[in-house]
Amino acid sequence: MEKKLQNWFTAKKESNRTSSILKNVSQKYHIDANQIFPKYFKDQLITFQLSTTEKIGAINLSNGEKVDQLLLDLSTDYGDGIKLLKEDDLLYVYFGEPFKKFKRPYYIIIDNYMVFANNASTIQSFLNNYKNNRLFINKESYANSVNQLQILPVLVSLLTLIIPLTYFLKIYTYHTLNTSHRKKG
């Protein structure tokens, strides 16, 4: 993933900017940020927008406690486990475009997940819901959505067959009409 992301930054002419961000972190805090996110990022990440229009994201970590320790110098403590990254665009450097909107996010590390948002109140709300077990997975609407997603592969397979067929029929019809039109003319 890192190589593809670097190629993407190069194509967007942002590789100098991202290198500069990492160099600044190294000089300012004497921390090699490459020993944090690439090393402890596990395998999942997500960003989405809440109904309040606030954006929230999360990354799965292999060792959340270690990442929390390594980020101590790069963070300011906000309270109740919530912290603020001191440097801009650090998540963007490691995870690309979906994380660009999290310029200098508030975050919390909980159960090997780093959850972040642009406002501390969003993280506080998440934390309250988490502590009180008010999670999506416990809602009926979530269960209904998951059940509907099981139908999705069947629909994709059908669409994969239908779309090319429709395209073929349009070309065939166009060709047939033009051919018969020329014969009459």
Side-chain angles (χ1 to χ4, degrees):
M1 180 173 113
E2 292 176 54
K3 182 73 172 154
K4 288 181 180 181
L5 185 58
Q6 291 311 313
N7 291 341
W8 184 78
F9 282 135
T10 301
K12 289 195 54 103
K13 297 179 174 54
E14 290 201 15
S15 57
N16 288 340
R17 180 173 166 255
T18 58
S19 296
S20 173
I21 291 168
L22 294 177
K23 186 177 178 182
N24 180 46
V25 166
S26 178
Q27 290 175 344
K28 197 171 180 179
Y29 302 99
H30 307 288
I31 292 173
D32 181 3
N34 289 320
Q35 294 299 312
I36 302 173
F37 291 112
K39 186 173 182 177
Y40 293 102
F41 168 67
K42 193 172 176 185
D43 58 1
Q44 298 175 21
L45 48 93
I46 186 171
T47 66
F48 56 94
Q49 184 170 314
L50 302 173
S51 61
T52 60
T53 70
E54 174 65 30
K55 293 166 183 59
I56 193 166
I59 57 175
N60 189 354
L61 304 169
S62 60
N63 188 339
E65 288 181 28
K66 185 68 173 176
V67 172
D68 209 15
Q69 292 170 1
L70 293 170
L71 289 176
L72 281 176
D73 291 335
L74 278 170
S75 305
T76 301
D77 193 25
Y78 182 81
D80 202 15
I82 300 171
K83 296 182 176 126
L84 173 67
L85 278 177
K86 292 179 185 177
E87 296 300 316
D88 289 353
D89 294 323
L90 203 51
L91 295 174
Y92 173 66
V93 167
Y94 288 106
F95 303 106
E97 189 69 26
F99 293 82
K100 193 172 190 174
K101 55 191 158 221
F102 301 104
K103 192 117 181 116
R104 190 180 287 190
Y106 291 88
Y107 73 91
I108 188 163
I109 295 178
I110 191 164
D111 291 341
N112 284 334
Y113 286 94
M114 180 181 191
V115 180
F116 43 89
N118 290 318
N119 295 308
S121 60
T122 304
I123 297 297
Q124 187 63 57
S125 177
F126 165 81
L127 188 58
N128 290 340
N129 287 333
Y130 184 84
K131 286 179 179 178
N132 293 314
N133 203 27
R134 291 188 307 248
L135 306 173
F136 285 135
I137 199 163
N138 296 335
K139 293 187 176 193
E140 185 179 339
S141 59
Y142 176 81
N144 292 339
S145 297
V146 170
N147 289 336
Q148 289 176 2
L149 287 177
Q150 293 173 0
I151 297 170
L152 191 60
V154 174
L155 292 174
V156 169
S157 297
L158 288 173
L159 287 174
T160 305
L161 294 171
I162 291 170
I163 291 172
L165 182 60
T166 305
Y167 183 70
F168 171 76
L169 289 174
K170 283 181 182 176
I171 291 173
Y172 179 77
T173 305
Y174 175 78
H175 178 71
T176 305
L177 288 174
N178 282 341
T179 306
S180 64
H181 184 277
R182 277 190 244 142
K183 288 180 182 177
K184 292 179 183 177

